[in-house]
Structures are given as C-alpha cells and as structure tokens.
Amino acid sequence: MSVPGSSGRADVAVVGQVARDLVLRIDELPEAGVSAAVAQRRETLGGKGANQAVALAQLGGTVGLVGVVGDDDTATAMLDRARQDGIDVRPVIRRAGAETGLIVEVLEAGGHYRYLEHLPDTVLLTEDDIAARADVLAGARAVTVQLQQSAEAALAAARVGRAAGRLVVLDGVPATEQADELLDCADALRADAREAELLAGEPITDPRAALRHARGLLDRGPTLVALGVAGQGDVFAWPGGELFRPHAEVPVVDTTGAGDALVAALTLALVRGAAPDQAARMATTAASISVRHAGGRPRLRPDLIGAAPEAADRQA
C-alpha cells in the first residue's frame, strides 16, 4: 500500500489521538482483591485518530495522520506500525519528554467493555501543533477532526480545512464555546448514540427523534449529519433527504471500533463523490464489520464493504 509522497495530495488528513492500544479479553471482571485470567491479549496501534487512519488506508485511501506521541520507545513502535499500515506519519508530532498515550480495554464475554486511558495533556494537540501542520490539512482533500482533542485545537483544524475549501468532517460533540463556529466549518458531523444525546440535551429513544435533532443540526452548518441511536442503528440527514440504517444482524464481539470505521468509510465515500445515501450505506457496512472482532483496530477491505451483510433501509 503506497504512502502519499510529498508532491501528492492525500485523500484525508486525520486529526486525532495516537496511542498504544492494549485489549484484554476476560470471561468476567473480578471483584476487588481477586484476580482473573486473561483469555486473550492484543497490543497494537490505537487511539481514535490512528484507528480512523488505518481504516482509511485499508479501504484504499491515502491518508496523513496529525497527532502527538512521546519520544519514548512506544512511540517508535507505534509509528513503525502505522507506516506498515500505509499511513503517512510525517505529520505526527513527537513531544520531547512526553509519554505516548495508552488505552487499555478490558472486554468481558458478551461484549461488555471498560476503558482505562492514560492520555495526558502532553499528547493532546494544541493550536500551535495545528498551525505547524496547517499545510498538511490544507493539502488533503478532506480533514477529519476528532473532537476529543482540545476544543481550541479542534477549532483551529476545522478553520484550516474550511479556509482551504476541503471537506471537513467532525467526529464527536463540539465544545459549547466553540460549537457554533465548529458546526459552521463542518461539511459533515458524526456523533455516536451517547454523544447524540449530549448534543440533543435529552434522551434519544428512537430514530424519528434522532432525525429531528439531525435536521436541526443541518440548520447550523453541516450538509450531512449522522447520529447513532442506542441499540437500534444510525440515522443520516442531509438537505432534501434522510435515511435510517438499523444495525446489521451480525455476531457482535466488541462495538468499540464501529464508530471509527463508520467515520472513515463515510469520509472516503464523500471524498470520492458518493451521494449521501451511498456514503451512509458504505459507512454502516464498515461499522458492521468492525463489531465482529475485539478491539478498535479495523479489519476492512474495499471488497468487504460491498460484500458484508446489509441491513435494509427503513423508515424512521
């Protein structure tokens, strides 16, 4: 898989977390003071930004990653892994004296998971970091911005993408103070079920309610809004259209990587000129593939997006 050269334009510049990901599968979480055997252990490149970058590369996109790691051995190993995945890691910032982020997922039988995260401020992007990588963002066809970074850095990245006329995709909940400008900079917004309820300020119990909130967000700037509905599926709304995609009926091992796969597939589809409904189908199919294995690292291929079990579209 080729890495975009200095003279080429990446399909997508991903702005987000880069971390070491440790997944521990156990039968049942023990009580305090009691040990439990780990059935499976998996260590790899992780963090939402890196997971989205991996998914984009697996789907055939060229991708540059803008994030922060430390100057430790863990960073070296994670960047080597990303290069093998076909990701341009030259934009990744190695922060002197910082420890690379660590995300531990404890996954019980039945798909119940708990996260333990060590993501200190030193490995979060700053406005200065974004300014130093503005040429990378402006040079890509699309910019995805993970809103779990600092609000100032997220807004700076969105501004660069908007000023350059690039497709800007937001992933998460805009911070209150920056929400209006962030949404005004965005072409697309994705929020999972929990985040969608934070945006709405109330529980979202069915697709019809989710679509109502999605249409309200369209009035604030984005031309495509995708919201999760807990236990049911995803809604997509755009000017003149809407779609509800129920969760595909597939064996679910772990849902942690579904959102990152969805964002990656949605972004790449839009970059390549897909209509909103086509992009929505590609995105939800990618998510349905990702829930079938443990951990957030995707396992996608372009042919799998077309061949994966499809959930029928339904009226909300």
Side-chain angles (χ1 to χ4, degrees), residues 53-79:
V54 170
L56 284 157
Q58 290 176 347
L59 291 173
T62 53
V63 55
L65 180 58
V66 179
V68 181
V69 295
D71 58 358
D72 48 14
D73 291 341
T74 298
T76 300
M78 295 302 98
L79 295 179

Side-chain angles (χ1 to χ4, degrees), residues 1-5 9-11 56-58 60-64 82-88 90:
M1 187 176 294
S2 63
V3 172
R9 173 179 292 181
D11 289 318
L56 284 157
Q58 290 176 347
T62 53
V63 55
R83 291 187 192 95
Q84 293 171 33
D85 287 322
I87 299 166
D88 185 355
R90 288 171 295 181

Side-chain angles (χ1 to χ4, degrees), residues 31-311:
E31 297 179 359
V34 179
S35 65
V38 173
Q40 183 182 27
R41 166 181 164 178
R42 185 165 172 254
E43 297 181 56
T44 189
L45 172 68
K48 287 184 67 63
N51 287 340
Q52 290 176 17
V54 170
L56 284 157
Q58 290 176 347
L59 291 173
T62 53
V63 55
L65 180 58
V66 179
V68 181
V69 295
D71 58 358
D72 48 14
D73 291 341
T74 298
T76 300
M78 295 302 98
L79 295 179
D80 285 346
R81 173 68 261 186
R83 291 187 192 95
Q84 293 171 33
D85 287 322
I87 299 166
D88 185 355
V89 297
R90 288 171 295 181
V92 174
I93 294 158
R94 295 198 70 161
R95 191 91 77 207
E99 288 183 284
T100 297
L102 172 65
I103 300 173
V104 179
E105 178 189 357
V106 181
L107 179 64
E108 293 182 82
H112 304 294
Y113 64 84
R114 291 170 174 81
Y115 270 175
L116 302 173
E117 299 181 341
H118 181 237
L119 298 167
D121 290 345
T122 49
V123 290
L124 297 180
L125 286 161
T126 67
E127 287 184 87
D128 288 343
D129 295 331
I130 296 300
R133 298 296 186 263
D135 59 333
V136 176
L137 306 185
R141 294 181 174 88
V143 178
T144 65
V145 183
Q146 175 208 318
L147 298 180
Q148 287 82 358
Q149 295 290 318
S150 75
E152 293 76 18
L155 181 55
R159 283 172 173 165
V160 171
R162 171 57 65 223
R166 306 311 180 203
L167 179 81
V168 177
V169 179
L170 304 181
D171 176 21
V173 181
T176 302
E177 297 80 5
Q178 288 83 10
D180 288 342
E181 188 176 355
L182 269 169
L183 290 171
D184 190 55
C185 287
D187 295 286
L189 169 69
R190 155 67 183 174
D192 65 23
R194 181 188 62 81
E195 294 164 340
E197 292 188 342
L198 290 174
L199 281 168
E202 64 180 16
I204 296 177
T205 58
D206 60 70
R208 186 170 292 125
L211 280 168
R212 184 176 69 254
H213 288 294
R215 286 191 292 268
L217 289 164
L218 290 177
D219 294 335
R220 300 177 66 183
T223 55
L224 176 64
V225 174
L227 301 181
V229 184
Q232 299 181 56
D234 296 272
V235 301
F236 298 80
W238 59 94
E242 61 186 38
L243 185 66
F244 169 52
R245 294 281 290 165
H247 290 153
E249 295 183 3
V250 297
V252 176
V253 175
D254 185 2
T255 61
T256 58
D260 292 334
L262 188 152
V263 169
L266 182 71
T267 302
L268 191 58
L270 294 173
V271 164
R272 293 179 171 176
D277 59 334
Q278 296 172 316
R281 292 184 179 95
M282 181 176 177
T284 52
T285 301
S288 75
I289 293 169
S290 293
V291 301
R292 288 182 276 181
H293 66 268
R297 180 181 170 84
R299 298 178 186 175
L300 301 173
R301 297 196 314 263
D303 61 298
L304 291 178
I305 297 304
E310 288 282 349

